[in-house]
Amino acid sequence: MIDFLRNGTPQSIVERYESLKHIADNTDFGELDNNIVVVDTEATGLSFTKDELIQIAAAKIMEGKIVDWYVTFVDPGQEISEEIEHLTHISNDDVAGAPTPTEALTGLVEFSGNAVMMAHNASFDKTFLTKHAAGYPLLENIWVDTLELSRIAFPRLTSHRLIDLAKALGIQESTHRADDDVATTCILYRLILACITEMPIELVKTISELADTDMWPTSYVFKFAYKFMSEYLDEGETNSFSMIKKMRNERVRELPTQNKNDVDLEDIVMSGVDEDHPVVSTDNLQFPDENAILNEYSKDGLLGKIYPDFEERDEQKQMAHHILEAYKESKNLVIEAGTGVGKSMAYLIPSIKLAKDNEIIVGVSTKTNALLDQLIYHELPALKKQIPDLVYSSLKGAKHYICLRKTAYLAESQAKLIDFKGEQFCNAASIASLLSYIEQTSYDDCDGIKVNGRALFKKQYTCASHECLRAKCPFYRNGCFVHGARRMAHNSDIVVTNHTMMFCDIKADGGLLPPIRYWIVDEAHGTESEARSAFSYVIGASELLDLSKALKSESVKKNLFLKATKNIDIDSLVAKGDAGLSNAEEVEGKNVIFGLLKKCITRGKEASDVIKNFAEHFNLLCSFAPKSKNGYEFSDIWIEQSIRESEEFNELYGYAKEFTTVSEALLSQVQNLVAYLDNYENTAIVSREISAFIFELKELLNACDLFFFNSKEAYVYHANLNTHNTIVQDQLICELIYVGDALNEGFYSQSKSIIMTSATLAIGDSFEAFENAVGLSPTETTDIQLSSSFDYDNNMTIYVANDMPDPRSDLYLDTLSNFLSKLHIKNNGSLLTLFTNRREMEKSHETVKDAVDPLRVICQKWGVSAKSCRDEFIADETVSLFALKSFWEGFDAPGSTLKGVVIPKLPFALPNDPLYKERCARENNAWTKYVLTESIIDVKQAVGRLIRKSSDKGFIVFADSRMISKFYGKMFLASMPSKNIKIMTIDEIINDL
């Protein structure tokens, strides 16, 4: 089971999950065990209108056991595709002569009677089973969804697909045949019941009361589970606030005490550490003894104790040595460490020693969550076993954590039907999942929680820093996810965060992270782009439209000021510090508040149409979008001087001016309201919500000012527009051209030593491009290049096809598809082909998948998740994958599941990229200086997917003839980890493999 649990799952929850089989085998769940029909269907596809049933399977449960079956193939009246046959193992021969859908459904209706219907992802099965008249009677049955139930019962599992649940919970493995899936679901259902009865009874009752079965049929299980549990358990408080407090207190009590700096939660305010806890001095530090540190990288040292098969690596020792030197000399260090060096341990051991000897915090920043989790849940726990007093934690931005106050309000207000793009979704299952996650989690973020984003927006259960009530929140103490995580960070030796959080902390003048003066920036190749994103300003059309709707709305739920009018209890308002006000003065003060609220409502409605008008006219700039042969939906338009002088821009400028005028008037009125509310008790929540509105409106006004009225040369300006006449995602963007100045001012000058490391930083043997990009001073920076400890020359062969047509040629795609087909057949699959263009990938896939049959080639098509592609690729050693940018870095495939990586085209930035065009306008060699260097780093990352451990072997194929026909080809080849490079024709490459 442990392989399927989210990292950081509390031990008591692990034990709960492991006990479920025993509970399920020895418990009679009463009504929940009777008159249940578990059903599953297979179909020719996923379209409810075009596809048809090919199998129905159903099992009837009485007294907890299967007592009857109904299983039949169905003749769909259409061909079953090879893909569906591979997935379900149902062929056209199987369904030949089978009952028609009408005949099969008639039998199912008779079999089911008035039973409660149960299915995994019930809406899918229910829709297929009731789209024919013969299945209409099933609409009268209650339909319970075990997918919803499993997400509520098991929020700590990484996946809730039936096949993954079966593996995690030790059930017979599902095969995607309907009858097997039903058998699996029957066992799963009783394990879910066992898990629900292990939840706090207050939680089960709260979930049962979120909605009735008409709105949320799955509540049937919780209503009867509560009835079942209440027969032998005392019911506690069921108020959502008190229930959550109780659950959090119990969960937090399980955590080990860690109190490194004796920092109390109340002293950690959103603006940073207060004067009572000043930044720890980093003068006169005790630096670790180098020999003692380097001895830890031996069989007799720390790593030898952690890893029984540990092998010493000179490169790892060298890296630790250079980090120590940088710490001692207060210098910055840029270090490229190839795969296999073991850079995490190389920087962690000296950093831990520095932190512990001096009672300071060392920060580690990563680009990907995969590395953050690797450090927090693997490397650092392993080190803690040998260093028991080591204290470490992870910290992300406030929006990554559940807000207990908001979630309690969601539970108190009960579930609702949410309209989303013409469909209705009940948010009960999402609220229930949140509540269960709260009960089963310590201080984890909520990034991986399974919540239906159409039914419950993330903003409804997370809280930005400027929205937080801080000490006025009933959950402010240790139970709070974000403040608990912050307290742990302030008490840590090592704090691990991500680049986004680190750069946002810089932008917020150090108000989000503890005071850290020594930093490790891992995966540093992403530093420039991550910093640019953090320091950018954006005006989003969707934000403006949401604001416009809210200001104009007559709904108390949507209009902030109407909500405030309702929520301020006028009779309980008491002036701060003066209980001796006369009755007349009290009445006058309360009248002022409502007068100010009325003015805000009026100003808001006046501003609404102006704001909407502004958002709807971003598309005036669409006339400047370059004509696309491919018909792409979005276009990124560089706003240069000639566009600023155009009639279209001037018209948009006018709308922006109107927006600014009405928004500033509204802002002034709202600020007056907040200032007056601050004079009264019991207005904290209303005041904070309105303050959050002020913050967000100011952000939009600042961005608008920079884009239209007070533009600065340090920025590039562009419009990302939907050219198909939709405005939902239109954006006007201001981005820093050069991030170095911002990093110098807010990062380097505030730090003693910064270590930037990655496997891909240098171009050839030069770090000049990277250091210039991030603004590192050559006089204060040391750069080191460490080769990998892997034998790349013997384990990796690099092929360059010298007879490929130019990538811009009409012949290129056909030649590429033919080449890829031959490669896959010769290699028996197991290839990863990394494309730069979605349309080219999909066209090539259509050709290759048929040419290599029976080998399977899956494709990261539009709407297909990267995770599902990854899982399917890794599960079968012969499967190959066509993929896009998300697989160029951070993707690991073990051993023989990946034998070769193909790069059809070098990943150069588009010539219409606004940042590139701005740079070209300013510098003559912009393409070579920026585009080429970024492309080389991207290719180094892609090549790095192949060999992840010393036993891995394989090949790289470049199908881009520019590698040998252009001057820059030598720069790419010089940056490759292997010097075993073969330049051959397509046929020679195939023969050589």
Side-chain angles (χ1 to χ4, degrees), residues 303-554:
L303 293 189
K305 294 173 183 176
I306 294 172
Y307 306 111
D309 56 350
F310 176 73
E311 296 180 3
E312 293 185 28
R313 286 168 274 187
D314 288 339
E315 297 87 355
Q316 191 175 44
K317 288 185 176 181
Q318 290 177 45
M319 184 170 176
H321 160 75
H322 289 297
I323 289 171
L324 280 172
E325 289 297 306
Y327 283 162
K328 290 175 183 177
E329 297 173 8
S330 293
K331 294 190 70 173
N332 297 327
L333 172 66
V334 175
I335 185 162
E336 181 177 87
T339 306
V341 166
K343 64 180 186 297
S344 297
M345 286 298 186
Y347 61 65
L348 283 175
I349 292 174
S351 299
I352 290 168
K353 185 66 174 172
L354 177 70
K356 296 205 71 61
D357 286 353
N358 297 282
E359 294 190 353
I360 63 172
I361 303 172
V362 175
V364 179
S365 176
T366 71
K367 182 182 179 184
T368 62
N369 286 332
L371 179 56
L372 187 151
D373 289 345
Q374 178 70 21
L375 293 171
I376 287 293
Y377 298 114
H378 296 282
E379 270 89 350
L380 285 165
L383 287 164
K384 186 172 176 64
K385 287 182 179 179
Q386 304 300 322
I387 312 172
D389 60 343
L390 169 63
V391 182
Y392 61 87
S393 61
S394 64
L395 190 60
K396 297 181 180 179
K399 290 183 179 179
H400 291 268
Y401 299 91
I402 291 175
C403 173
L404 299 175
R405 176 177 61 84
K406 285 190 174 184
T407 306
Y409 273 119
L410 284 171
E412 281 292 295
S413 57
Q414 299 188 317
K416 297 177 178 63
L417 288 175
I418 307 299
D419 288 311
F420 186 86
K421 295 184 177 180
E423 292 186 74
Q424 281 197 325
F425 300 91
C426 179
N427 63 10
S430 296
I431 296 172
S433 294
L434 288 175
L435 292 170
S436 181
Y437 188 82
I438 288 168
E439 191 266 325
Q440 296 188 23
T441 301
S442 55
Y443 285 132
D444 290 5
D445 59 68
C446 62
D447 291 346
I449 190 171
K450 298 294 191 298
V451 169
N452 183 348
R454 295 170 295 183
L456 197 65
F457 300 125
K458 195 170 184 180
K459 191 174 182 179
Q460 292 178 267
Y461 59 89
T462 62
C463 183
S465 294
H466 60 271
E467 295 177 287
C468 181
L469 296 182
R470 304 173 195 168
K472 295 177 181 177
C473 176
F475 302 106
Y476 181 64
R477 292 193 63 83
N478 294 3
C480 173
F481 281 100
V482 66
H483 287 290
R486 285 171 61 81
R487 184 184 187 193
M488 292 177 74
H490 277 263
N491 282 318
S492 295
D493 302 305
I494 302 292
V495 172
V496 186
T497 188
N498 53 46
H499 292 350
T500 301
M501 179 69 168
M502 182 179 69
F503 291 127
C504 286
D505 180 64
I506 295 168
K507 189 176 181 181
D509 296 324
L512 305 176
L513 292 169
I516 298 173
R517 299 296 175 257
Y518 290 85
W519 276 100
I520 303 289
V521 182
D522 203 344
E523 300 175 305
H525 57 276
T527 302
E528 182 189 14
S529 61
E530 293 285 345
R532 180 171 292 111
S533 177
F535 298 142
S536 66
Y537 292 84
V538 179
I539 314 166
S542 61
E543 290 177 85
L544 293 172
L545 291 173
D546 288 344
L547 174 61
S548 172
K549 289 177 185 176
L551 292 172
K552 199 169 190 175
S553 176
E554 297 293 339

